[in-house]
Amino acid sequence: MKEGFCLSIEVLCFDLLKDPVMIQSLACLKESLSDLSNTYTTALLAYVFTLAGDVETRAHLLQHLDTVAVREGGFLYWSQTAAETSASLSVEISSYVLLAKLSASPTAEDLGYASGIIRWLTGQQNYYGGFSSTQVRHHPNSMKLIFEYSLRQNQGKKK
């Protein structure tokens, strides 16, 4: 069931990437890349261009995100600004960076990089396994990513 569903999603995405409207939309987004001052938007664009298979743009965005990442004691996360203290927003931004890293055949280096993000994200979880926030939209992404990362780590150990 899962493999069939994933294959259907991949076929749908591949077909969408051929759509002239989608091609024009991605071109329009690409034109906005001269201003990467909004970390949330940059993280979201990194994920979009990962899904679109635009390796060059993805690499450019991820490289920029790496320069603005917060590194503290083995943890890796992003915030909107240096003064930003919203854990909720940081969870969402960091989740999109992680999605971009893990959605394109991650290398061992990518998995190592992701481990710092995962450690930080798991530290943000509340007692019930979710994330304390008034926003709900980033919860499923964060939970999915933690699960996907652990699966990939286990697959790497079996090889």
Side-chain angles (χ1 to χ4, degrees), residues 134-153:
T134 56
Q135 296 179 336
V136 180
R137 67 180 181 264
H138 62 272
H139 293 196
N141 279 345
S142 300
M143 298 299 288
K144 174 187 173 224
L145 288 166
I146 292 168
F147 178 71
E148 185 175 323
Y149 174 79
S150 64
L151 284 177
R152 289 182 190 267
Q153 284 292 91

Side-chain angles (χ1 to χ4, degrees), residues 25-37 41-42 45 49 61:
S25 297
L26 289 170
C28 181
L29 288 173
K30 215 172 196 177
E31 289 176 15
S32 73
L33 297 182
S34 60
D35 179 14
L36 299 178
S37 60
T41 302
T42 305
L45 285 171
F49 284 104
L61 292 166

Side-chain angles (χ1 to χ4, degrees), residues 82-143:
E84 177 66 50
T85 59
S86 169
S88 173
L89 186 57
S90 291
V91 165
E92 194 164 352
I93 294 169
S94 300
S95 294
Y96 280 119
V97 175
L98 191 57
L99 275 167
K101 276 289 190 183
L102 295 181
S103 295
S105 302
T107 63
E109 183 180 335
D110 290 334
L111 291 175
Y113 189 88
S115 70
I117 304 169
I118 293 291
R119 281 195 297 267
W120 184 80
L121 282 173
T122 55
Q124 304 309 303
Q125 288 180 291
N126 62 29
Y127 294 114
Y128 302 107
F131 296 88
S132 299
S133 167
T134 56
Q135 296 179 336
V136 180
R137 67 180 181 264
H138 62 272
H139 293 196
N141 279 345
S142 300
M143 298 299 288

